[in-house]
Amino acid sequence: MSARAKSQLTDLRSDTVTKPSAAMREAMAQAPVGDDVYGEDPEINALEAEVAQLLGFEAGLFVPSGTLGNQLGLRLLVQPGEELVCDTMAHIARAELGAAAALSGITFRTWRATRGLIDLEAIRELIAPSAGPYLVSTTAIALENTHNFGGGTVQPLELVAQVVELARANGLALHLDGARLWNAHVASGRPLRELTAGFDTVSVCLSKGLGAPVGSVLVASTERIARARVWRKRYGAGMRQAGILAAAGRYALAHNVARLADDHDRAQRLAKALGADPDLTPSNILVLDVEDAAAVAGAASEQGVLVSALGPRFLRLVTHLDVDDDDIDHAIDVLRPLVLR
Ligand SMILES: Cc1ncc(COP(=O)(O)O)c(C=O)c1O
């Protein structure tokens, strides 16, 4: 391990590893609070209204995690025994521990996506609206933007619009896992409201690239959010004076959205240096296909660079608020000999 690495790790495992800055902690300390189960926390109310407005929805609900934001969205749209269509690598299918089945009795059918990209024809083939008494009826489609395991893929807006049209034509609801919608917004230059147009429920995270320690917001119609509020409490996630957390989220929205462009530039540098196609790294997530992902991650970790091995050949590197240009230099020095064999 180099002298630098001994004192300072470069942690590229995820953008969830960021720590709240001094200024964010100060905003948290100053936040007015109240009992949010009674709807009396001013900071949470302000955050919910702000995110709903930004995304073009009537109402928002602050929840502790992206998983809960997604699961409440799905709960609202799909009844037990009904079917949701999404891609095989979607976070809701792969990384929420079967929550949709365990909590809401939802079955999934999935399309195999290239880099997490929407495949309109595959979706068209999969959906079975009002399938009668023998087949499972599809009730909703879920998309993810950007797509985490796909490599930070930004969904092309025209394809999203085509899925919206398909869903509408077939009476299906639409959920968007927008854990990193902010990255899609910055990478595409398109207003957030354009990216959410046509969806019934959208979950966005404050604790990924935006750097807040905790929190996501589910947005939908006023009626749906009222129902989600009941389910949030039922799941045990009704919080009390959590305005100190909402304040971190509001600070993040005010200060940490535009700077995501720096994370994207750094992911480009990594992609170029590590032999990947930079065009396939449109935001802050670099996915590498290597011979032995666990071996690379292990060897890098010994030299102070942390990356995620998410499959036998699947290595993921994520840039974020707490890595700077020096960290990227460090990561390149360590990873180049390990991945460019
Ligand atoms: C695309 C996506 N959706 C949802 C989540 C869930 O967020 P949380 O870890 O806050 O439950 C994640 C987490 O990394 C994610 O990447």
Side-chain angles (χ1 to χ4, degrees):
M1 206 188 271
S2 71
R4 178 194 183 283
K6 266 185 198 141
S7 62
Q8 196 183 336
L9 286 174
T10 296
D11 192 345
L12 299 171
R13 287 172 302 163
S14 173
D15 48 10
T16 57
V17 300
T18 57
K19 305 215 168 85
S21 64
M24 182 181 277
R25 286 168 191 259
E26 183 56 27
M28 295 169 77
Q30 298 304 327
V33 294
D35 190 320
D36 183 49
V37 170
Y38 294 155
E40 291 173 1
D41 189 297
E43 197 68 19
I44 292 182
N45 292 342
L47 173 70
E48 290 174 345
E50 186 178 340
V51 175
Q53 202 273 338
L54 275 174
L55 302 188
F57 284 79
E58 286 175 356
L61 186 71
F62 185 52
V63 291
S65 69
T67 298
L68 188 58
N70 281 334
Q71 293 307 321
L72 289 174
L74 301 189
R75 168 94 247 174
L76 293 174
L77 301 181
V78 189
Q79 297 310 306
E82 293 177 347
E83 174 180 279
L84 176 97
V85 165
C86 66
D87 79 271
T88 56
M89 293 196 301
H91 197 275
I92 55 170
R94 216 188 151 198
E96 299 188 6
L97 308 181
L103 303 178
S104 303
I106 297 172
T107 65
F108 281 24
R109 275 191 312 141
T110 53
W111 77 88
R112 187 176 286 279
T114 307
R115 301 191 310 280
L117 275 171
I118 290 167
D119 181 338
L120 187 69
E121 287 321 307
I123 299 174
R124 201 192 300 282
E125 275 180 33
L126 276 176
I127 56 172
S130 309
Y134 301 114
L135 300 175
V136 183
S137 291
T138 311
T139 328
I141 300 168
L143 302 181
E144 187 175 313
N145 197 12
T146 65
H147 198 294
N148 177 350
F149 299 128
T153 305
V154 179
Q155 303 291 357
L157 212 49
E158 61 281 6
L159 275 182
V160 175
Q162 284 168 351
V163 176
V164 169
E165 209 177 297
L166 180 70
R168 288 291 163 265
N170 288 281
L172 304 180
L174 273 173
H175 174 74
L176 176 62
D177 178 352
R180 296 183 181 78
L181 194 69
W182 321 104
N183 297 82
H185 161 61
V186 168
S188 67
R190 310 305 291 250
L192 286 157
R193 281 162 172 257
E194 265 184 44
L195 307 184
T196 59
F199 288 90
D200 298 290
T201 51
V202 179
S203 172
V204 288
C205 291
L206 305 161
S207 60
K208 309 281 182 298
L210 297 195
V214 175
S216 292
V217 179
L218 176 72
V219 296
S221 66
T222 306
E223 181 271 327
R224 282 200 171 108
I225 289 300
R227 284 198 284 132
R229 198 174 287 281
V230 173
W231 278 103
R232 183 185 66 173
K233 182 76 165 64
R234 199 168 272 145
Y235 287 154
M239 297 180 286
R240 304 295 178 170
Q241 289 73 26
I244 50 174
L245 301 176
R250 293 188 76 202
Y251 180 92
L253 286 173
H255 296 92
N256 294 343
V257 176
R259 65 147 306 283
L260 291 171
D262 298 340
D263 297 343
H264 298 178
D265 289 347
R266 291 182 178 123
Q268 284 283 305
R269 274 189 61 210
L270 278 172
K272 286 176 192 155
L274 299 178
D277 180 348
D279 289 343
L280 303 186
T281 307
S283 60
N284 68 327
I285 301 179
L286 169 63
V287 163
L288 295 173
D289 178 42
V290 295
E291 217 165 283
D292 185 342
V296 173
S301 151
E302 281 174 18
Q303 298 175 75
V305 176
L306 305 183
V307 297
S308 292
L310 295 174
R313 302 183 56 98
F314 185 148
L315 207 64
R316 189 189 67 179
L317 286 63
V318 186
T319 55
H320 53 76
L321 191 56
D322 289 356
V323 290
D324 60 16
D325 288 329
D326 288 346
D327 295 320
I328 298 299
D329 290 341
H330 177 214
I332 289 170
D333 286 349
V334 168
L335 288 166
R336 260 180 81 88
L338 296 172
V339 301
L340 297 181
R341 285 170 186 271

